[in-house]
Amino acid sequence: MPEVVSWFFPWLIVTLVLSVGIFVQAAAGFAAGMLVIPTLLWLGYLIPEASMALLVATIPQNIAGVYALRESIRPKTLLWPGIGRVGFFPLGILALIAIEEAFPLVRIRQFVGGVVLAATIATAVYHPVPKAKLSPIWAWIAFPISGFLQGLVGMGGPAMVFWVSAHDWNTRQIRGFLFAMYLTSLAPAIVMLFAFFGDRLVTPALNACASIPILLLVTSLGLKFGNWLGRNRLRRVTLGLLFLMGILGLASPWIRSG
């Protein structure tokens, strides 16, 4: 019985945090990583454990998204962005290892808060004029940055969102591309995290696996809620929440000392 209790409460906490992130992701179309990672850091987790839990938790959502939008996905658009994203992921992990060795958790929390705040402000103010075709240089900027940030802080989505929003694609094409890009990079990301961090990631991975039935229900509820509230209003609420998360992260040394 004590073993069950000692497993249940950490699992429950991770499940609740993942549920919030997956709900918002399903409803608003973004922000799972920017909510889940800093929240788990506040609860005492480190970035590799938080990243692993999030990656495992998003597997069913990404599979379902790719299947539902398969007719809108153009495989040739995935190749070079996928290579750029996966290729820079280990560089982000190496930078993360250096940060973990050099700084305490409170400083790492502050750093992640700064990343969340910067990404939130960029998302709020960046409104590109969609074009039929972008210069390839933008892909070679966006996706390596995405892969590097995914390895460093577990949040590689914003750079990809900026890139797809500059295209004149319809909503199904945008969502299909993002789901496919997330899905194609999930296995390499999980393998590389285990290669670098080993057994310490087993428990968060198993906890996330055990959460999947609940997360599938949360995904369905999030989709319905997003349709009911409206994407624009939900986007404003989500950006406000992310802005608060970023500020709290930056202020974490003073909050702790207080």
Side-chain angles (χ1 to χ4, degrees):
M1 182 63 70
E3 291 80 6
V4 173
V5 173
S6 65
W7 171 83
F8 177 76
F9 285 105
W11 170 82
L12 180 61
I13 291 171
V14 170
T15 300
L16 290 174
V17 174
L18 290 173
S19 295
V20 172
I22 295 298
F23 180 87
V24 173
Q25 179 84 15
F30 70 105
M34 291 194 291
L35 285 172
V36 169
I37 301 298
T39 302
L40 289 179
L41 290 181
W42 274 102
L43 294 172
Y45 290 81
L46 294 173
I47 291 176
E49 286 81 354
S51 296
M52 178 58 68
L54 180 61
L55 288 172
V56 172
T58 57
I59 291 174
Q61 187 181 61
N62 288 314
I63 291 175
V66 167
Y67 180 78
L69 301 167
R70 61 192 182 280
E71 295 180 358
S72 300
I73 298 171
R74 293 175 288 180
K76 66 179 182 179
T77 64
L78 302 173
L79 178 60
W80 293 112
I83 291 174
R85 177 170 157 82
V86 173
F88 275 75
F89 186 77
L91 297 181
I93 292 179
L94 291 174
L96 171 58
I97 292 173
I99 289 175
E100 281 198 334
E101 292 176 349
F103 299 102
L105 178 58
V106 66
R107 291 298 179 186
I108 295 175
R109 192 183 298 149
Q110 189 178 34
F111 172 71
V112 171
V115 174
V116 170
L117 185 61
T120 302
I121 293 173
T123 302
V125 303
Y126 179 65
H127 300 288
V129 177
K131 298 179 180 180
K133 188 175 182 180
L134 295 180
S135 170
I137 190 64
W138 295 114
W140 286 108
I141 292 174
F143 292 95
I145 290 175
S146 172
F148 180 80
L149 289 176
Q150 185 68 46
L152 178 63
V153 291
M155 298 179 289
M160 294 196 298
V161 172
F162 296 155
W163 186 82
V164 296
S165 64
H167 288 76
D168 62 350
W169 296 349
N170 60 42
T171 301
R172 290 181 63 85
Q173 288 174 315
I174 290 174
R175 296 183 68 210
F177 177 89
L178 291 174
F179 276 128
M181 187 56 58
Y182 285 127
L183 185 60
T184 56
S185 59
L186 272 176
I190 290 173
V191 169
M192 281 187 261
L193 280 173
F194 270 117
F196 279 99
F197 298 102
D199 293 344
R200 59 186 274 195
L201 302 185
V202 172
T203 297
L206 291 177
N207 283 340
C209 283
S211 304
I212 284 176
I214 296 174
L215 299 178
L216 290 173
L217 174 61
V218 168
T219 298
S220 176
L221 295 174
L223 290 170
K224 294 177 181 179
F225 183 79
N227 293 334
W228 172 75
L229 185 62
R231 191 166 296 273
N232 289 332
R233 281 184 291 179
L234 189 58
R235 175 185 170 88
R236 289 193 293 269
V237 172
T238 302
L239 288 175
L241 178 59
L242 292 174
F243 186 83
L244 177 61
M245 293 288 292
I247 293 295
L248 288 174
L250 285 176
S252 59
W254 298 279
I255 294 174
R256 184 189 184 192
S257 62

